[in-house]
Amino acid sequence: MSGRRSALAFWGFVGPFALGLLVFTYVPIGWSAYLSFFDAHNTVTPTEFVGLANYVDVLTDRAFLDSIGTFTAFAALVIPVTVVLSLALALLVDQVRIAKTFFRSVFFLPFACSYVVAALVWKSSLFSGLGSGEVNTALGWFGVDPQAWIGTVDPPLYWVVLVTARLWLQLGFYLVLFLAALQRIPAHRYEAAWIDGASPGWQTFRHVTLPGLRGVLVAVLVLNLINAYQAFDEFYNILGDSRGYPPFARPPLVYLYHTALGSGGQDLGRGSAGAVVLALVIALATLLSGKVFRRAG
């Protein structure tokens, strides 16, 4: 009887979440994979089977391949900076003896902010244009000419806007992960290292702190990799305007958005094929990076 009650209690808590996950995640994924094998222009119930033609079109489309290159550049900029800064901030907050909860909350707060809202703030307030924008105002104090951050392609100053927006939004989340891991490292390991002659600086960090953070470090790197592949809101809302979205700096999800929901016709079959390819790339990159990071650790 107690076992049945436990089972009912378990499904009472887990059931609604599992049902929502099935209906709003797995069913759409399965239907998207189904659509990728059909000519699905302006319909989600296609009848014309085209096999792998949509996949061939996507994989031979220069725009899609360029979007993968955009992801690579974005990931190469964001991931190492995020890991280094979030770990450094976690180490600083961990040393605080007064109001540690306050500092942790302050750094975590931007993570609760909408990516769309943050992108609009970055675009309209901080990097709004040549004659305005808080960043250009600050540069003027040092005699630096104002810059057209969003519209400048050579050099690609728009990366400054995109990367700083993403860093502001996600640093606090990873800081909390690192901070929790730091507090789980036993104090006696540091004491043993000091007895063995390790200085309470780089040597202690390298031989005690860093090995203790190995598991969380792998998780942070993998999560960053996945999130970089899925970048959409900041790209679309910062670079897009009434004239449309520029051809440069178009990540995979923006490409799929224009393919599946573009004004030239809703090619849901081709868009679904691109989504499946992107999902496979994310899965493969996640598995490979996890193995590489664990082996390196």
Side-chain angles (χ1 to χ4, degrees), residues 55-296:
Y55 289 93
V56 174
D57 289 343
V58 166
L59 293 175
T60 56
D61 188 351
R62 179 62 183 271
F64 181 74
L65 299 179
D66 287 345
S67 73
I68 299 295
T70 298
F71 146 75
T72 304
F74 185 64
L77 290 169
V78 168
I79 293 177
V81 177
T82 298
V83 173
V84 172
L85 287 182
S86 59
L87 179 55
L89 289 173
L91 291 170
L92 290 175
V93 174
D94 189 50
Q95 299 300 317
V96 174
R97 294 293 176 259
I98 300 176
K100 180 180 293 188
T101 303
F102 168 77
F103 287 106
R104 184 172 54 198
S105 302
V106 167
F107 283 115
F108 183 79
L109 191 60
F111 180 71
C113 181
S114 166
Y115 274 50
V116 176
V117 173
L120 294 178
V121 170
W122 246 245
K123 181 177 182 178
S124 61
S125 178
L126 296 180
F127 299 92
S128 56
L130 281 173
S132 58
E134 300 300 328
V135 174
N136 279 334
T137 300
L139 291 177
W141 297 341
F142 300 97
V144 180
D145 295 333
Q147 304 293 326
W149 297 96
I150 297 175
T152 303
V153 180
D154 186 19
L157 296 180
Y158 58 87
W159 281 117
V160 176
V161 187
L162 296 169
V163 172
T164 53
R166 174 56 71 97
L167 289 175
W168 183 77
L169 284 163
Q170 70 180 15
L171 275 179
F173 174 72
Y174 297 115
L175 177 148
V176 171
L177 294 183
F178 278 126
L179 191 60
L182 286 170
Q183 294 173 352
R184 293 181 58 186
I185 300 176
H188 65 79
R189 293 187 182 180
Y190 291 100
E191 295 170 357
W194 296 333
I195 292 173
D196 290 339
S199 60
W202 169 249
Q203 290 182 335
T204 303
F205 173 77
R206 178 183 176 185
H207 297 289
V208 180
T209 304
L210 205 55
L213 298 176
R214 184 181 305 167
V216 175
L217 187 60
V218 172
V220 169
L221 289 168
V222 171
L223 287 173
N224 263 287
L225 186 64
I226 295 173
N227 290 334
Y229 265 114
Q230 297 176 337
F232 176 81
D233 290 328
E234 61 266 56
F235 278 83
Y236 189 78
N237 289 283
I238 289 176
L239 297 181
D241 55 26
S242 59
R243 297 169 295 180
Y245 193 93
F248 60 87
R250 178 175 288 185
L253 287 185
V254 174
Y255 167 87
L256 296 178
Y257 174 83
H258 283 274
T259 300
L261 301 173
S263 59
Q266 297 181 357
D267 192 349
L268 300 179
R270 188 176 178 184
S272 297
V276 172
V277 171
L278 180 60
L280 293 176
V281 170
I282 292 174
L284 180 61
T286 301
L287 292 174
L288 291 177
S289 61
K291 286 187 176 181
V292 169
F293 294 144
R294 288 192 184 94
R295 188 170 298 175

